[in-house]
Amino acid sequence: MEVLLMNMADDHAVKQEENITQEGCSPEPSKTDIGRKVHKTVDLKSSSSSSSHDELETAKEENERLKMMLEQIQKNYKSLQSRFFEIIKQGSAIEEGSEEPELVSLSLGRSSPTGSKKDDKKTTICSKTEVDDHNKSGLTLGLDSKFQLSTEIVSNPSHENSSEEASKVQKRPSSGEDHEEGVEQKSQVKRARVSVRTRCDAPTMYDGCQWRKYGQKISKGNPCPRAYYRCTVAPDCPVRKQVQRSFEDMSILVTTYEGSHNHPIPVSATTMASTTAAAASMLLSGSSTSQPALSTEINGLNFSSSLHDNSRLPSCPTITLDLTGSPSSSSSFNYFNRFPTNCPATPRFPSTNLNFSSPLVSNESFTQEHYFYQQSLTDTLTKAITSDPSFRSLISAAISSLVGHSSAKHGDGTDQKGDSFSQNLMQAAINSQSLNDSSLRGSSYFKGFESSSSRIGSSNQSSSLSFSSFNAASTLAFDNKQGKN
DNA sequence: CGTGTTTGACCTGCGC
DNA sequence: GCGCAGGTCAAACACG
Ligand SMILES: [Zn+2]
């Protein structure tokens, strides 16, 4: 199984490369070649019709060869795809059957100390999520929906699901109507969370969404108050976030996201959404794991994961994206030692950390510094995407969930092809990096969601999926009166 | 006046 | 059952 999976991942990469070659190089030059040759023939007229004929013949032959190659590639692609789905089926059968003794690794790096087999396996499982997303279209991009997928049968369309969840929050036990919601509540409990650590002087991180503060608490072990926000882009959006400064380093802002948006998200929010979704995929793929700690590196990105519960909350698997400039070489144990109060002895759910460490630090004002920070992250991510198939599939899972979401919203039912589509999208995103860079440089970065949300809704904007990184921004929420709770 | 924040009260789940 | 801690509510308040 593992060998197969490993091959699978390799094939995946090869497949991608082949696609690139096929589309990017071979056909084009040959065509122009032919054109040139034909042109030449016309110019020379009847001087040597036989030789030009020969040339034409060779061009034809070449064309034929290329066609054959293309067919071969397509065949390979299809067979690989079918194999891929087979493996996925097997995988899901195993998963459903019983808890797998062999474990799912969250590591993504090839130079990972935890080994590359697990890496490949992880890829497959992430892709499984991807496939799931297509099969059960209509689930929103986010954290909990996927988790629910893996824990229960989801039959509700996303909107219903989310609004129910939103209203449920308000319900008091005395209402007495929550009889049949027991199951759901349990599933809700198993929501994945993604927390993002950023070095940021601003009170909150700008992530493209609109948030309304609804509470503030001093949590135990950290004198810095924790602020509670809910998404107000849509009135019934269930997404929450918690913002708290790190006790160890006050300049580090820890933002924890929970839930999935049930509305089109702003361009600037897609970064966070896709990242958190990808992170959630990782988390989900690792949710059955019992490995204590893992860490790895891709192109300088430190991906580490560990089994620890990030909060006192029951059953809240948490994944941490570390965007601070902290040393990426730190082992995951060191990493978790930075959460002295949040590590109970018996963790119930795995928690995963992705270290997107960047040497540059975001600022409260949108300065050049910030742009460079952003760009470096973009570069790093792009590199990771281009060079690592597993990371690519991870991100593409996130993207396909996004695509699936928007297409479901539009009810065109075309998300079957989300698999290849997302891959292509990924490629497009990579190819258009320079484009993205320029868009980052421009004011498009701060486009309001009023205009951008409709663009997201139309779903085919690959450039809108650029990894524009997170922004530090001052919001109105912050003043120094905090801390009285 | 509408919108968003503040903050004390309340609810819930968990450990003892 | 009790206390603790995290999370949420909603009235009061601030601000444009
Ligand atoms: Zn939302």
PDB file of all heavy atoms in Angstrom, chain A residues 228-241:
ATOM      1  N   TYR A 228     -12.973  37.849  21.349  1.00  0.00           N
ATOM      2  CA  TYR A 228     -13.783  36.952  20.538  1.00  0.00           C
ATOM      3  C   TYR A 228     -14.460  37.751  19.430  1.00  0.00           C
ATOM      4  O   TYR A 228     -15.091  38.767  19.696  1.00  0.00           O
ATOM      5  CB  TYR A 228     -14.832  36.260  21.401  1.00  0.00           C
ATOM      6  CG  TYR A 228     -14.244  35.415  22.488  1.00  0.00           C
ATOM      7  CD1 TYR A 228     -13.964  35.948  23.743  1.00  0.00           C
ATOM      8  CD2 TYR A 228     -13.936  34.083  22.252  1.00  0.00           C
ATOM      9  CE1 TYR A 228     -13.417  35.170  24.743  1.00  0.00           C
ATOM     10  CE2 TYR A 228     -13.377  33.297  23.241  1.00  0.00           C
ATOM     11  CZ  TYR A 228     -13.123  33.855  24.492  1.00  0.00           C
ATOM     12  OH  TYR A 228     -12.566  33.075  25.479  1.00  0.00           O
ATOM     13  N   TYR A 229     -14.300  37.288  18.234  1.00  0.00           N
ATOM     14  CA  TYR A 229     -14.911  37.962  17.092  1.00  0.00           C
ATOM     15  C   TYR A 229     -15.770  36.980  16.325  1.00  0.00           C
ATOM     16  O   TYR A 229     -15.493  35.784  16.304  1.00  0.00           O
ATOM     17  CB  TYR A 229     -13.842  38.502  16.149  1.00  0.00           C
ATOM     18  CG  TYR A 229     -12.976  39.577  16.733  1.00  0.00           C
ATOM     19  CD1 TYR A 229     -11.826  39.258  17.440  1.00  0.00           C
ATOM     20  CD2 TYR A 229     -13.309  40.919  16.573  1.00  0.00           C
ATOM     21  CE1 TYR A 229     -11.008  40.239  17.973  1.00  0.00           C
ATOM     22  CE2 TYR A 229     -12.504  41.908  17.100  1.00  0.00           C
ATOM     23  CZ  TYR A 229     -11.354  41.564  17.798  1.00  0.00           C
ATOM     24  OH  TYR A 229     -10.547  42.553  18.320  1.00  0.00           O
ATOM     25  N   ARG A 230     -16.784  37.508  15.682  1.00  0.00           N
ATOM     26  CA  ARG A 230     -17.530  36.686  14.740  1.00  0.00           C
ATOM     27  C   ARG A 230     -17.615  37.407  13.398  1.00  0.00           C
ATOM     28  O   ARG A 230     -17.587  38.631  13.329  1.00  0.00           O
ATOM     29  CB  ARG A 230     -18.902  36.307  15.290  1.00  0.00           C
ATOM     30  CG  ARG A 230     -19.928  37.384  15.347  1.00  0.00           C
ATOM     31  CD  ARG A 230     -21.318  36.778  15.543  1.00  0.00           C
ATOM     32  NE  ARG A 230     -21.374  35.842  16.665  1.00  0.00           N
ATOM     33  CZ  ARG A 230     -21.938  36.089  17.818  1.00  0.00           C
ATOM     34  NH1 ARG A 230     -22.519  37.261  18.026  1.00  0.00           N
ATOM     35  NH2 ARG A 230     -21.955  35.185  18.764  1.00  0.00           N
ATOM     36  N   CYS A 231     -17.693  36.599  12.379  1.00  0.00           N
ATOM     37  CA  CYS A 231     -17.712  37.141  11.022  1.00  0.00           C
ATOM     38  C   CYS A 231     -19.045  37.836  10.772  1.00  0.00           C
ATOM     39  O   CYS A 231     -20.107  37.305  11.073  1.00  0.00           O
ATOM     40  CB  CYS A 231     -17.502  36.012  10.019  1.00  0.00           C
ATOM     41  SG  CYS A 231     -17.646  36.523   8.305  1.00  0.00           S
ATOM     42  N   THR A 232     -18.939  39.035  10.218  1.00  0.00           N
ATOM     43  CA  THR A 232     -20.170  39.773   9.930  1.00  0.00           C
ATOM     44  C   THR A 232     -20.335  40.048   8.444  1.00  0.00           C
ATOM     45  O   THR A 232     -21.135  40.875   8.046  1.00  0.00           O
ATOM     46  CB  THR A 232     -20.177  41.114  10.682  1.00  0.00           C
ATOM     47  OG1 THR A 232     -19.011  41.853  10.320  1.00  0.00           O
ATOM     48  CG2 THR A 232     -20.209  40.908  12.164  1.00  0.00           C
ATOM     49  N   VAL A 233     -19.572  39.359   7.652  1.00  0.00           N
ATOM     50  CA  VAL A 233     -19.724  39.519   6.202  1.00  0.00           C
ATOM     51  C   VAL A 233     -21.113  39.039   5.799  1.00  0.00           C
ATOM     52  O   VAL A 233     -21.813  39.690   5.040  1.00  0.00           O
ATOM     53  CB  VAL A 233     -18.635  38.731   5.451  1.00  0.00           C
ATOM     54  CG1 VAL A 233     -18.890  38.779   3.964  1.00  0.00           C
ATOM     55  CG2 VAL A 233     -17.267  39.306   5.776  1.00  0.00           C
ATOM     56  N   ALA A 234     -21.505  37.923   6.337  1.00  0.00           N
ATOM     57  CA  ALA A 234     -22.876  37.450   6.173  1.00  0.00           C
ATOM     58  C   ALA A 234     -23.499  37.412   7.558  1.00  0.00           C
ATOM     59  O   ALA A 234     -22.827  37.100   8.532  1.00  0.00           O
ATOM     60  CB  ALA A 234     -22.894  36.064   5.544  1.00  0.00           C
ATOM     61  N   PRO A 235     -24.768  37.746   7.644  1.00  0.00           N
ATOM     62  CA  PRO A 235     -25.394  37.834   8.966  1.00  0.00           C
ATOM     63  C   PRO A 235     -25.390  36.506   9.728  1.00  0.00           C
ATOM     64  O   PRO A 235     -25.314  36.503  10.953  1.00  0.00           O
ATOM     65  CB  PRO A 235     -26.813  38.271   8.649  1.00  0.00           C
ATOM     66  CG  PRO A 235     -27.007  38.019   7.194  1.00  0.00           C
ATOM     67  CD  PRO A 235     -25.660  38.131   6.553  1.00  0.00           C
ATOM     68  N   ASP A 236     -25.443  35.412   9.002  1.00  0.00           N
ATOM     69  CA  ASP A 236     -25.526  34.134   9.707  1.00  0.00           C
ATOM     70  C   ASP A 236     -24.252  33.311   9.568  1.00  0.00           C
ATOM     71  O   ASP A 236     -24.268  32.104   9.730  1.00  0.00           O
ATOM     72  CB  ASP A 236     -26.721  33.334   9.203  1.00  0.00           C
ATOM     73  CG  ASP A 236     -26.646  33.116   7.705  1.00  0.00           C
ATOM     74  OD1 ASP A 236     -25.792  33.763   7.077  1.00  0.00           O
ATOM     75  OD2 ASP A 236     -27.428  32.312   7.178  1.00  0.00           O
ATOM     76  N   CYS A 237     -23.187  33.974   9.269  1.00  0.00           N
ATOM     77  CA  CYS A 237     -21.925  33.238   9.122  1.00  0.00           C
ATOM     78  C   CYS A 237     -21.460  32.728  10.477  1.00  0.00           C
ATOM     79  O   CYS A 237     -21.382  33.488  11.437  1.00  0.00           O
ATOM     80  CB  CYS A 237     -20.854  34.124   8.492  1.00  0.00           C
ATOM     81  SG  CYS A 237     -19.280  33.281   8.285  1.00  0.00           S
ATOM     82  N   PRO A 238     -21.167  31.458  10.562  1.00  0.00           N
ATOM     83  CA  PRO A 238     -20.807  30.871  11.854  1.00  0.00           C
ATOM     84  C   PRO A 238     -19.352  31.018  12.240  1.00  0.00           C
ATOM     85  O   PRO A 238     -18.955  30.566  13.308  1.00  0.00           O
ATOM     86  CB  PRO A 238     -21.145  29.398  11.636  1.00  0.00           C
ATOM     87  CG  PRO A 238     -20.882  29.180  10.199  1.00  0.00           C
ATOM     88  CD  PRO A 238     -21.199  30.477   9.491  1.00  0.00           C
ATOM     89  N   VAL A 239     -18.586  31.639  11.399  1.00  0.00           N
ATOM     90  CA  VAL A 239     -17.151  31.677  11.663  1.00  0.00           C
ATOM     91  C   VAL A 239     -16.818  32.597  12.833  1.00  0.00           C
ATOM     92  O   VAL A 239     -17.340  33.695  12.958  1.00  0.00           O
ATOM     93  CB  VAL A 239     -16.375  32.129  10.410  1.00  0.00           C
ATOM     94  CG1 VAL A 239     -14.909  32.289  10.699  1.00  0.00           C
ATOM     95  CG2 VAL A 239     -16.590  31.145   9.288  1.00  0.00           C
ATOM     96  N   ARG A 240     -15.981  32.080  13.708  1.00  0.00           N
ATOM     97  CA  ARG A 240     -15.512  32.882  14.859  1.00  0.00           C
ATOM     98  C   ARG A 240     -14.010  32.965  14.804  1.00  0.00           C
ATOM     99  O   ARG A 240     -13.357  32.126  14.222  1.00  0.00           O
ATOM    100  CB  ARG A 240     -15.896  32.188  16.170  1.00  0.00           C
ATOM    101  CG  ARG A 240     -17.315  31.771  16.273  1.00  0.00           C
ATOM    102  CD  ARG A 240     -18.155  32.922  16.728  1.00  0.00           C
ATOM    103  NE  ARG A 240     -19.535  32.735  16.368  1.00  0.00           N
ATOM    104  CZ  ARG A 240     -20.465  32.329  17.204  1.00  0.00           C
ATOM    105  NH1 ARG A 240     -20.154  32.035  18.418  1.00  0.00           N
ATOM    106  NH2 ARG A 240     -21.713  32.211  16.785  1.00  0.00           N
ATOM    107  N   LYS A 241     -13.526  33.935  15.466  1.00  0.00           N
ATOM    108  CA  LYS A 241     -12.075  33.950  15.661  1.00  0.00           C
ATOM    109  C   LYS A 241     -11.738  34.512  17.028  1.00  0.00           C
ATOM    110  O   LYS A 241     -12.459  35.339  17.581  1.00  0.00           O
ATOM    111  CB  LYS A 241     -11.363  34.717  14.543  1.00  0.00           C
ATOM    112  CG  LYS A 241     -11.385  36.218  14.655  1.00  0.00           C
ATOM    113  CD  LYS A 241     -10.388  36.825  13.671  1.00  0.00           C
ATOM    114  CE  LYS A 241     -10.405  38.336  13.709  1.00  0.00           C
ATOM    115  NZ  LYS A 241      -9.479  38.958  12.750  1.00  0.00           N
TER     116      LYS A 241
END
